[in-house]
Amino acid sequence: MALPSPNSKNGPSVSAGAPATELGVILPYPEEAIARRSFEPVAAPVHPLVRTARSMVANTLPTLVMVVGLLLVWQLLCGSPDATFPSPYKVWQESHEVIVNPFKGVDFVAMSIQDGGDVGIAGHVLTSLSRVLIGYSIAAVIGVALGILIGQSVFAFRALDPLFQVLRTVPPLAWLPISLAIFQQAQPSAIFLIFITAIWPVILNTAAGVQTIPAAYRNVAKVLALNPVEYFVRIMLPATVPHMFTGLRIGVGMSWLAIVAAEMVQGGTGVGFFIWDSYNSSLLTDTIVALVWIGMVGFALDRIVAFAGRIIGRAG
């Protein structure tokens, strides 16, 4: 039997032949475990411009690939001489002047567009945009005000909401004879048509945003004794911006659709007139170019309104 070591305070000492673990020797960490716990090397810092360029390429490259693919399929399907629909190459050949010189008749110095005569597609688009800007701005202001009214007042909601639900289902062109009968002119009639088309989604979405404001927000406003202006700026506007700008985005898209349809019926100037005139002149390639312009402008309008919504939402 082994006797306790004289230097040991807690128990018997370990003999010289005992295993290493019993002697308190620290064993080396397994290399396999070290390899598993190793971290990835820290990447070198990237310049902000390079990071921005990479982000832009990542966002735009899929769209460019899709567009190129669609053009190739379109060319393959319509490239034969007996095809009834023009191919992209034929559009470029026959509408070359419309594509490369879209600002014909536009005077940027005097900020005017030639009245009548030969005007490029961009001149017609700018004319349509000027009408959309007026009608849509009026619809946005009145629509937000009415949306706040019926969202805040139960009586106003019960009185006006059924009327709005009925009127918003009327197609835009159905309002055209009424607008012509009231205004007797094409320009104010088109503006009224844009207004009556865009106002309904603005009203309904704004009202929905006001009605969904949490009760805790309203109670805070009462505790702080906020006046109506402070309540609108500090409570209502931040809470309703997402709903409000959803309606504004829908409204601007419907405005652009309405003005094109109205100009096709009324004639005169504008991108709708350009399409109808190209069709009557058997210039189908010009019509295709106009459709591309309409799509790009509509996309830009939607992005502008969405950007404004993000800015106002952050400020609120």
Side-chain angles (χ1 to χ4, degrees):
M1 180 177 178
L3 296 177
S5 173
N7 298 327
S8 175
K9 297 181 179 180
N10 299 323
S13 65
V14 182
S15 61
T21 54
E22 295 182 8
L23 296 176
V25 178
I26 299 176
L27 297 177
Y29 203 81
E31 295 183 0
E32 296 81 2
I34 295 176
R36 288 196 299 269
R37 294 184 61 181
S38 62
F39 297 99
E40 295 292 334
V42 179
V46 181
H47 195 275
L49 293 179
V50 176
R51 190 184 302 112
T52 303
R54 290 178 179 176
S55 177
M56 292 179 61
V57 171
N59 291 330
T60 58
L61 185 60
T63 302
L64 292 177
V65 172
M66 183 199 66
V67 171
V68 171
L70 290 176
L71 290 175
L72 290 176
V73 173
W74 180 9
Q75 181 65 37
L76 292 175
L77 294 177
C78 304
S80 59
D82 56 345
T84 58
F85 194 79
S87 64
Y89 181 70
K90 188 175 182 181
V91 172
W92 173 257
Q93 283 184 320
E94 297 186 0
S95 299
H96 181 267
E97 181 65 21
V98 177
I99 296 172
V100 301
N101 193 14
F103 294 97
K104 182 188 299 183
V106 179
D107 188 354
F108 290 101
V109 177
M111 298 298 294
S112 62
I113 300 173
Q114 180 179 337
D115 189 11
D118 190 9
V119 180
I121 179 64
H124 291 282
V125 170
L126 292 174
T127 301
S128 299
L129 281 175
S130 64
R131 295 167 178 165
V132 168
L133 179 61
I134 299 173
Y136 176 73
S137 300
I138 299 173
V141 173
I142 297 179
V144 169
L146 288 176
I148 292 174
L149 173 64
I150 66 175
Q152 285 285 96
S153 172
V154 177
F155 177 81
F157 177 80
R158 293 174 179 174
L160 297 176
D161 183 69
L163 178 63
F164 292 161
Q165 295 293 343
V166 171
L167 293 178
R168 74 181 184 88
T169 60
V170 179
L173 287 181
W175 293 99
L176 187 57
I178 296 177
S179 63
L180 288 173
I182 295 174
F183 298 102
Q184 301 293 322
Q185 294 181 5
Q187 179 80 356
S189 299
I191 293 174
F192 173 79
L193 189 66
I194 295 167
F195 164 79
I196 205 68
T197 302
I199 193 172
W200 311 123
V202 179
I203 292 175
L204 298 179
N205 281 274
T206 303
V210 174
Q211 291 171 345
T212 55
I213 295 177
Y217 291 7
R218 301 179 186 273
N219 294 333
V220 169
K222 293 178 181 178
V223 170
L224 298 177
L226 299 180
N227 59 47
V229 176
E230 292 174 335
Y231 176 75
F232 175 78
V233 174
R234 298 184 180 182
I235 304 295
M236 184 181 297
L237 185 60
T240 59
V241 159
H243 293 82
M244 185 186 303
F245 274 87
T246 298
L248 290 172
R249 290 180 67 179
I250 297 173
V252 74
M254 295 181 66
S255 298
W256 190 234
L257 296 176
I259 190 59
V260 172
E263 289 171 347
M264 291 178 67
V265 176
Q266 289 181 340
T269 57
V271 67
F273 166 76
F274 181 88
I275 291 177
W276 193 246
D277 185 62
S278 300
Y279 173 76
N280 290 330
S281 302
S282 299
L283 299 175
L284 187 58
T285 56
D286 287 0
T287 303
I288 295 173
V289 174
L291 293 179
V292 174
W293 270 84
I294 291 172
M296 292 190 301
V297 172
F299 175 79
L301 291 175
D302 179 79
R303 287 297 181 266
I304 291 172
V305 176
F307 177 75
R310 289 194 297 269
I311 296 298
I312 295 177
R314 292 171 185 171

